[in-house]
């Protein structure tokens, strides 16, 4: 009989593989969706992300309503709103992923395609995430970010329905309304429907998020050793994967580690099938430096904000955590600033462009 940790790892492997294929073959990329929207007025990738959020929200809340998954055991539904972490961490993560050219999830997709730069980013991101969770930069996080959290009244959590005081019926109405609005916006003009890869990847990623909650909350649940339920996110799990590799005998598998391996495997399989696998490296030291700084910002910022574009934008959103939209707005602003910097090469003009001022 398989142990709960082995089941969790296997489920993470499967869910991650779906995202790996979606990222490589389905062109599902969160930085690209922002870049397309900011500079190309092309919202198809953003609509694919919205469709994924709609599917994830509807399916996850159905699991919670049926009593299959207890979402209160997740890291997102806390008794306080980490506004400082969401805003500062989100900005750092957004700038970092613009410097790298992708997020934590996209880094794993690149690793699967043979990108040696992504291996460096993976290592720096994972180690900086570990340091922020348990090491030296963790002290900075506790001293600077934790005091900026907004404490909620006794018995409340940061779910939208809890803050609104909504009962089960109102919760269901709210979930359906939000999911329907997102799906309508994504599909109404037909552009996403005419992009079958983006359409399929949006549906698949949303389903994978809900499956993550189901896997950790029911399939791999251990009543003798209860653990937090979780779904897909790609900051802390990169650090956990490095720690597991380094301390094999003193660590155990989990869903996050499985998802990291799954994304790489799925991306690799898709690249090989499309004959798109090729080794790539940095052009010069300047590019390597930019990637390493970006990875450092993503690792620290992602832990401060409790997630990345996938972790907050989809997994946290599917729980109705109010931190999700706050973090995503901060990440989008940081990404815009970082993208402007990559085009101008200077921070001050990038800040001026971000706020619409003349240079």
């Amino acid at each position: 009989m398989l142990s709960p940790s082995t089941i969790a790892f296997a489920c993470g492997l499967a869910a991650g593989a779906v995202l790996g294929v979606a990222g490589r073959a389905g062109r599902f990329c969160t930085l690209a969706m922002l870049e397309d929207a900011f500079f190309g007025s092309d919202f198809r990738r953003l609509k694919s992300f919205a469709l994924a959020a709609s599917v994830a929200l509807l399916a996850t809340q159905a699991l919670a309503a049926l009593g299959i998954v207890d979402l209160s055991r997740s890291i997102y539904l806390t008794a306080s709103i980490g506004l400082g972490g969401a805003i500062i961490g989100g900005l750092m993560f957004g700038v970092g992923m613009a410097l790298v050219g992708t997020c934590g999830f996209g880094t794993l997709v690149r690793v699967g395609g043979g990108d040696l730069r992504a291996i460096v980013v993976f290592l720096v991101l994972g180690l900086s995430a570990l340091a922020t969770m348990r090491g030296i930069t963790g002290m900075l996080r506790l001293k600077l970010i934790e005091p900026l959290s907004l404490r909620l009244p006794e018995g409340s959590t940061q779910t939208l329905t809890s803050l609104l005081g909504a009962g089960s019926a109102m919760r269901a109405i709210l979930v359906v309304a939000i999911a329907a609005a997102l799906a309508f916006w994504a599909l109404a003009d037909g552009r996403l429907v005419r992009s079958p890869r983006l359409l399929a990847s949006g549906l698949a990623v949303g389903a994978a998020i809900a499956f993550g909650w189901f896997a950790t909350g029911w399939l791999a649940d251990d009543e003798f050793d209860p653990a937090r339920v979780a779904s897909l996110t790609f900051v802390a799990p990169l650090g956990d994967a490095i720690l597991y590799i380094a301390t094999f005998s003193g660590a155990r598998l989990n869903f996050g580690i499985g998802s990291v391996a799954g994304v790489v495997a799925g991306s690799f399989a898709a690249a090989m099938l499309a004959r798109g696998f090729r080794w790539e490296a940095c052009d010069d030291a300047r590019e390597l430096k930019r990637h390493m700084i970006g990875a450092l910002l993503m690792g620290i910022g992602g832990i401060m904000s409790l997630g990345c574009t996938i972790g907050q934008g989809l997994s946290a959103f599917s729980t109705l955590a109010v931190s999700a939209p706050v973090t995503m707005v901060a990440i989008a602003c940081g990404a815009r600033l970082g993208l402007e910097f990559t085009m101008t090469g200077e921070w001050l003009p990038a800040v001026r462009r971000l706020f619409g001022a003349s240079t």
Side-chain angles (χ1 to χ4, degrees), residues 68-257:
I68 297 173
V69 178
D70 181 7
L71 295 176
S72 66
R73 290 165 50 197
S74 75
I75 63 171
Y76 305 117
L77 303 189
T78 57
S80 63
I81 304 174
L83 289 178
I87 296 171
I88 298 173
L91 285 169
M92 291 176 65
F93 187 91
V95 171
M97 76 175 189
L99 294 179
V100 170
T102 191
C103 61
F105 157 63
T107 295
L108 297 175
V109 172
R110 288 183 175 184
V111 170
D115 192 331
L116 299 176
R117 296 167 299 184
I119 295 177
V120 175
V121 172
F122 169 68
L123 293 173
V124 175
L125 196 164
L127 291 173
S128 60
L130 277 176
T132 309
M133 286 189 289
R134 311 175 191 180
I136 188 168
T137 49
M139 298 173 61
L140 181 66
R141 173 177 61 86
L142 292 174
K143 289 184 178 294
L144 297 182
I145 300 300
E146 293 301 324
L148 300 177
S149 296
L150 177 63
R151 193 72 187 176
L152 298 174
E154 188 71 26
S156 297
T157 63
Q158 64 155 305
T159 56
L160 181 60
T161 50
S162 176
L163 295 177
L164 294 176
S168 57
M170 183 58 68
R171 182 188 185 95
I173 293 172
L174 188 63
V175 167
V176 171
I178 295 173
L182 286 170
F184 178 79
W185 180 75
L187 301 171
D189 64 0
R191 295 187 67 192
L192 184 61
V193 176
R194 292 191 294 272
S195 303
R197 288 190 180 187
L198 288 175
L199 177 65
S201 62
L203 293 171
V205 170
I209 296 295
F211 175 74
W213 295 119
F214 174 69
T216 58
W218 193 78
L219 288 177
D221 187 39
D222 185 358
E223 60 181 5
F224 298 106
D225 185 19
R228 286 191 181 277
V229 296
S231 190
L232 295 163
T233 186
F234 296 100
V235 180
L238 273 66
D240 291 338
I242 293 173
L243 191 62
Y244 180 80
I245 293 170
T247 61
F248 172 73
S249 61
R252 67 176 183 176
L253 295 168
N254 58 34
F255 179 84
I257 295 173

Side-chain angles (χ1 to χ4, degrees), residues 289-313:
K289 180 181 71 172
R290 177 166 54 83
H291 277 70
M292 293 180 70
I293 292 173
L296 182 67
L297 289 173
M298 282 199 290
I300 297 173
I303 295 300
M304 286 182 174
S305 61
L306 294 181
C308 55
T309 49
I310 301 295
Q312 281 286 350

Side-chain angles (χ1 to χ4, degrees), residues 253-269:
L253 295 168
N254 58 34
F255 179 84
I257 295 173
S259 67
V260 169
V263 172
V264 175
S267 174
F268 174 75

